[in-house]
Amino acid sequence: MIFTTSSVPKHLTTYLPSKLQRIPAKALALTGLLLCAMNCPVQADDDRFKDVKISSTKLTETVYLFTGSGGNIGVSSGEDGVLIIDDQFAPLADKISAQLASIHKHPSSSQPKYIVNTHYHGDHTGGNAHFGQRGTILAHHNVLKRLSSNDKLSKSALPVVTYDEGIHIHFNNDTLKVIHLGPGHTDGDSVVHWQNSNVIHMGDLYFKDRFPYVDLKGGGSVIGYRDNIAEVLRVLPDDIQIIPGHGDLATKSDLRKFKHMLDDSINWMNEHIREEKSIETIQAAGMPEKYKDWGWRFITEKKWIDTLYQDLSQAK
């Protein structure tokens, strides 16, 4: 059975804001390189991940950051049980489970009750089939749409609770606001804010100190990505702890730096487009010097320029 926000399990209530509401100050390496094209869930050979270690960092009494290979995992562990945000690649599920057991007060009950998918890419949803056998997967409607189009996935890998603009999860003496802001990285992105713990998981709406991946074929938008970051920055308290989709734990200042890069990149590309320069000419000139070191293995300077040109030139 597929649930929507009109029928949900215990702990869950709908959250349907037109925009993010103000988050109170007390409320609210790349560690895993993207090892796949991130356009579908990944079933990789175990050998590929045999040396990967899942590490945990305790952020508050009940909130943890797990790193390994793929997207960063957010964890809520407490008297109500365990909830995880994203679950990396399928072959890492047992290692993630072992790490959950090591940090949970009752190891025998450390399997997640809830799994939140921030979007559909395989380096964030690969463990769904494993964890979805005993837990409930939540995601935006478009995540279910994209995952269910893959006939290689089992039913346990699919979201059971889906939402439009968001949902509340009342869990471990906290309230997690799961919020969809519109097309950005994909058309199904969510951010997750622990209201009491002052932590936010950004999913792939944030790549710390790196050019982001904007999945244009997956409904992503360069302008939407930038505008979503601006909206999050508008409401975050200054002392927030930010879990990026990829990269180290970050601050609001780090996220603002990322937003400035997006602004500069968009303005830079729009100027070239107004001057009717070809993509070849723009590539030859390269990005402004201050952003030369923002390229990385998956999103090189060339790929970021291609993404900017492809998306922004169509908007003209």
Side-chain angles (χ1 to χ4, degrees):
M1 173 181 287
I2 299 299
F3 291 83
T4 66
T5 50
S6 63
S7 176
V8 297
K10 183 181 178 182
H11 299 302
L12 309 180
T13 58
T14 56
Y15 174 60
L16 303 174
S18 58
K19 289 187 176 181
L20 280 169
Q21 297 178 356
R22 179 72 187 178
I23 300 172
K26 289 185 178 179
L28 235 330
L30 276 166
T31 304
L33 292 176
L34 300 185
L35 300 177
C36 67
M38 297 195 305
N39 62 352
C40 63
V42 175
Q43 298 295 327
D45 294 332
D46 287 349
D47 285 349
R48 184 180 180 186
F49 300 97
K50 63 183 178 63
D51 296 325
V52 173
K53 178 182 178 182
I54 304 297
S55 300
S56 66
T57 301
K58 189 172 185 178
L59 305 184
T60 73
E61 196 59 34
T62 59
V63 180
Y64 295 78
L65 162 63
F66 280 17
T67 58
S69 180
N72 289 331
I73 300 173
V75 179
S76 173
S77 173
E79 62 183 38
D80 291 332
V82 172
L83 173 152
I84 61 175
I85 302 167
D86 292 340
D87 49 35
Q88 298 194 351
F89 292 103
L92 297 174
D94 288 340
K95 292 183 178 183
I96 294 168
S97 293
Q99 191 64 22
L100 289 171
S102 76
I103 60 101
H104 191 55
K105 185 176 181 180
H106 304 289
S108 62
S109 60
S110 63
Q111 286 301 298
K113 290 184 177 180
Y114 301 108
I115 305 95
V116 180
N117 290 161
T118 61
H119 60 289
Y120 78 98
H121 290 148
D123 62 317
H124 294 255
T125 63
N128 275 13
H130 174 87
F131 293 111
Q133 293 179 43
R134 296 173 61 183
T136 300
I137 302 174
L138 303 87
H140 186 264
H141 299 318
N142 287 335
V143 176
L144 173 60
K145 175 183 176 181
R146 294 188 181 280
L147 290 180
S148 61
S149 69
N150 183 349
D151 57 12
K152 295 181 180 179
L153 287 180
S154 65
K155 186 176 181 180
S156 65
L158 302 179
V160 174
V161 177
T162 65
Y163 49 84
D164 184 8
E165 294 185 26
I167 196 168
H168 280 117
I169 306 175
H170 307 282
F171 199 69
N172 289 331
N173 298 314
D174 211 328
T175 297
L176 287 75
K177 282 186 176 180
V178 184
I179 308 160
H180 172 69
L181 291 170
H185 173 61
T186 68
D187 59 6
D189 305 325
S190 293
V191 299
V192 184
H193 168 235
W194 282 262
Q195 289 186 271
N196 298 335
S197 299
N198 201 25
V199 177
I200 189 168
H201 191 306
M202 294 291 294
D204 278 3
L205 274 174
Y206 183 29
F207 290 71
K208 185 174 184 290
D209 297 332
R210 295 291 183 265
F211 294 135
Y213 174 41
V214 181
D215 184 358
L216 300 180
K217 293 182 178 179
S221 162
V222 170
I223 296 296
Y225 197 121
R226 188 272 310 276
D227 291 349
N228 290 344
I229 295 296
E231 179 67 5
V232 171
L233 279 169
R234 185 182 67 81
V235 299
L236 288 183
D238 290 339
D239 59 347
I240 190 83
Q241 294 188 84
I242 302 175
I243 301 174
H246 297 268
D248 298 331
L249 187 69
T251 65
K252 186 175 180 180
S253 178
D254 294 325
L255 185 61
R256 188 179 292 111
K257 176 183 175 184
F258 180 73
K259 163 67 162 48
H260 291 162
M261 181 279 298
L262 294 171
D263 286 334
D264 290 348
S265 294
I266 290 168
N267 293 338
W268 173 82
M269 179 56 73
N270 278 336
E271 182 178 352
H272 285 311
I273 292 172
R274 282 193 298 269
E275 294 173 354
E276 299 184 347
K277 291 182 180 178
S278 68
I279 183 60
E280 292 78 16
T281 299
I282 300 171
Q283 287 285 10
M287 290 290 296
E289 190 63 34
K290 65 189 295 187
Y291 298 121
K292 290 291 187 180
D293 63 347
W294 282 63
W296 55 290
R297 177 178 174 180
F298 189 71
I299 305 298
T300 62
E301 178 183 4
K302 180 180 184 301
K303 187 164 184 177
W304 179 232
I305 291 173
D306 283 341
T307 299
L308 290 167
Y309 184 84
Q310 181 180 345
D311 198 26
L312 298 178
S313 62
Q314 291 180 352
K316 297 300 179 183

